[in-house]
Each structure stands twice: as C-alpha cells, then as structure tokens.
Amino acid sequence: MFMGVKVGIIGSGLIAQMAHIPGYLEADADIVAVCDIVEERAEEVAKKFNIPNVYTDYKELLSDPEIQAVSICTPNYLHAQMTIDALESSKHVLCEKPMAMNIDEAQRMLQTSRKTGKILMMGFNNRFRGDAQKLKQFIDSGKLGEIYYARVGYMRRRGTPRGWFTVKRESGGGPVIDIGVHIIDLTRYLMGNPKPVSVFATTYKKFPEYHIDGRQTWDSSDVRDGLRDGKLNDVEDLATAMIKFENGATMFVEVSWAANISGDRFYINLCG
Ligand SMILES: NC(=O)c1ccc[n+]([C@@H]2O[C@H](COP(=O)([O-])OP(=O)(O)OC[C@H]3O[C@@H](n4cnc5c(N)ncnc54)[C@H](O)[C@@H]3O)[C@@H](O)[C@H]2O)c1
C-alpha cells in the first residue's frame, strides 16, 4: 500500500524507531528524511535506518516537495501545530495519539485536513490488532446484536512513564490522554462510533513519586539519553468515567498508570 510513497519522520524518539520507521520499511515506503531537535538522535536514526536527509527544524523537512507524507512522533503539545503545518504543506499526515491537547486543537486539525484534501490519520494502532479485527467482524456480522453497554479498562499496577509524559504542559495529562485514548477509541470503533453526549468522570493523583524507583514502563527518549531527570509529575495517575452515547449506550472506563491492584489489566467487556 505504501510502496514508493516518500515519507518524512518528525520526532525520531522511541515510537518512531520502534513502530513508524520499521512499519514504513516493511510496507516498502521510501523514508527520505528524519527530523529531531536533538540533532545527534536524528543523525543516529538516519544512520541506523539508512535515511538520506536529516533536519532539526521540521519546517525545513516540510518544505521538501519530494515528501508526500509525514509521521508526527513528537510530544503531545506539538501534534496540532505540526499537523496543521504539514497538511498546509500538502503532506498527508499520520499523527501519533493523542490527537491533540484539547478539542479546539483537534477541530482545527480536522478542518485543515478537509480544507487541504490531505489525509489525516491518528496512530490508533490497536484497531489493527488481529483480535480487534476478529471481534469487529463478529460484531458487524450482527452476532452480538445491539451493543448497549461496554465496561473497559487499561489499568497498570506500576507503569508511569517518565519525561515529558508526566509534565502536563507537554503531555496534556496522564493516563487518560496516554493510554485511555487507546481503550476509548478501540471500544467506540467496535461499537460503531456512537456519538458521546455526556461524560461523568473523576481523576486521582495518589502516586506522584514512586516511579523514581525505576519501575516505569516507558521513558521518553530525553530521559533515556540523560537529557532530563523525568521527576516532574503534575498529572493524574488514575481516572474513571461513564460516557453516555446518543444511541443510549453507555461505557464505563477505568484507566491508570499506578494503582494497588494485583497486576496489569487491559480489557473490553461488551454487552449486546
Ligand atoms: N501508539 C502508541 O501506542 C504509542 C506508544 C508510545 C508513544 N506514542 C506517542 O508517540 C509520541 C512520541 O512518543 P515517544 O515515546 O516516541 O516520545 P520520545 O520522547 O521518545 O520521542 C519524541 C521525540 O520528539 C523529539 N522532539 C521534541 N520536540 C521536537 C521538535 N520541535 N521538532 C522535532 N522533534 C522534536 C524529541 O527530541 C524526541 O526525540 C507521543 O505523542 C506518544 O503519545 C504512541
């Protein structure tokens, strides 16, 4: 599907190296440029994956007319502006989740995609898991009937990431915006994308410092490379919500980076 498509990578940290670049290579896309504000990281990634052009300013990458599509793999607070700039530079965009820091940014991204006619896709990779696809086929065949209730969770016992992930001005929030978006997106996809009409939710912050023991599950590249200590944590660590949809269905959600439970749980229960 991507054969020969000329791609640029903006942000060459962990998810770019673990998922986007290997994925494009497997699909025979042509990765022509990589960008990172940390020049050594971009240089290293370019060398490792044989990418010919390196930039430290994403606007310079966007000005390359050869590039048809970009992956945006930067911290969350950069997603909206970088996506809008890329779409306006006539590039298709695959932007990592979460889409943006707030609804206003997300709407501007969507409007720009419609205005420019360029594709904007979010990195909701869980939709493409084999089990999710199988379940979707099963639901679409009508075997579950009308799905009117979902009880879902993405709960970690000790899994707070470090670096910009716990810094609200850069991440926009904690587990809700980091892993909650995955479980909510996947469940709505399975339910046929019902429109939410109201939400009742609570957030908690009870585990601000435990992660400095090194029991986290994901470090930003800056922490891994020793560029920052990753100790600032001003986001929630657990959240619960009930979402009501226009079609009358409801979803109960629980998400956490840190909770006193016996082990991690990632689950979707659907009632039809
Ligand atoms: N889909 C998933 O399951 C999944 C998993 C992990 C991360 N993510 C998302 O991917 C994104 C990146 O996460 P990560 O773990 O790779 O973080 P990371 O910190 O490892 O990488 C981010 C990179 O962006 C670079 N960067 C920062 N500002 C920049 C700028 N102005 N211009 C260019 N580069 C800049 C950083 O130097 C860093 O190398 C986040 O939005 C995160 O939520 C998604």
Side-chain angles (χ1 to χ4, degrees), residues 2-271:
F2 283 101
M3 197 183 287
V5 174
K6 305 233 179 289
V7 178
I9 307 287
I10 302 177
S12 63
L14 212 56
I15 200 69
Q17 296 178 48
M18 275 179 58
H20 290 245
I21 297 174
Y24 285 128
L25 293 177
E26 203 183 313
D28 284 329
D30 192 2
I31 307 176
V32 295
V34 62
C35 168
D36 203 290
I37 39 162
V38 180
E39 190 169 7
E40 308 81 65
R41 191 175 295 141
E43 295 279 3
E44 202 177 298
V45 169
K47 198 168 158 206
K48 183 171 164 196
F49 293 101
N50 210 13
I51 301 170
N53 300 301
V54 173
Y55 297 94
T56 51
D57 179 346
Y58 78 98
K59 289 192 175 165
E60 284 181 23
L61 181 150
L62 293 179
S63 70
D64 179 347
E66 193 191 23
I67 295 174
Q68 297 166 285
V70 294
S71 266
I72 294 180
C73 302
T74 49
N76 305 344
Y77 76 101
L78 295 166
H79 290 184
Q81 195 56 54
M82 287 180 163
T83 295
I84 290 167
D85 289 343
L87 292 165
E88 286 180 340
S89 305
S90 289
K91 317 296 183 201
H92 301 294
V93 175
L94 171 56
C95 178
E96 262 306 339
K97 47 58 55 176
M99 185 168 183
M101 302 280 274
N102 53 54
I103 187 91
D104 175 60
E105 285 188 351
Q107 277 168 343
R108 285 194 290 116
M109 291 161 80
L110 194 59
Q111 279 160 9
T112 311
S113 164
R114 287 183 179 145
K115 187 182 77 187
T116 58
K118 295 291 160 187
I119 298 167
L120 170 58
M121 183 177 182
M122 304 310 308
F124 283 127
N125 47 299
N126 285 293
R127 290 187 185 197
F128 302 96
R129 290 162 46 144
D131 55 355
Q133 285 297 313
K134 204 76 203 157
L135 190 53
K136 180 73 174 148
Q137 279 168 17
F138 190 67
I139 291 166
D140 287 350
S141 75
K143 292 201 174 89
L144 276 187
E146 175 202 346
I147 298 172
Y148 58 94
Y149 175 56
R151 189 166 173 273
V152 306
Y154 200 150
M155 297 287 286
R156 290 186 190 150
R157 180 177 152 74
R158 297 288 183 270
T160 302
R162 294 192 302 171
W164 61 263
F165 287 93
T166 59
V167 181
K168 190 163 187 167
R169 69 173 186 279
E170 293 177 58
S171 63
V176 173
I177 206 163
D178 184 40
I179 52 180
V181 290
H182 271 310
I183 194 86
I184 293 169
D185 174 75
L186 180 56
T187 309
R188 281 191 63 237
Y189 168 69
L190 293 170
M191 294 171 84
N193 289 318
K195 188 177 172 199
V197 287
S198 65
V199 179
F200 174 83
T202 312
T203 59
Y204 298 92
K205 181 172 173 54
K206 303 287 184 186
F207 290 75
E209 298 299 343
Y210 86 90
H211 65 282
I212 60 175
D213 299 350
R215 283 177 287 179
Q216 73 290 340
T217 56
W218 192 276
D219 281 346
S220 76
S221 293
D222 285 354
V223 170
R224 284 175 188 256
D225 290 356
L227 298 176
R228 62 160 106 181
D229 66 15
K231 287 180 183 165
L232 176 59
N233 184 339
D234 62 356
V235 296
E236 86 282 359
D237 46 51
L238 185 144
T240 61
M242 189 183 98
I243 304 171
K244 189 168 179 199
F245 297 102
E246 200 171 51
N247 64 0
T250 51
M251 186 198 300
F252 275 123
V253 193
E254 52 174 4
V255 294
S256 178
W257 278 340
N260 284 331
I261 52 178
S262 56
D264 295 355
R265 295 198 294 260
F266 177 82
Y267 67 93
I268 295 179
N269 299 152
L270 299 172
C271 289

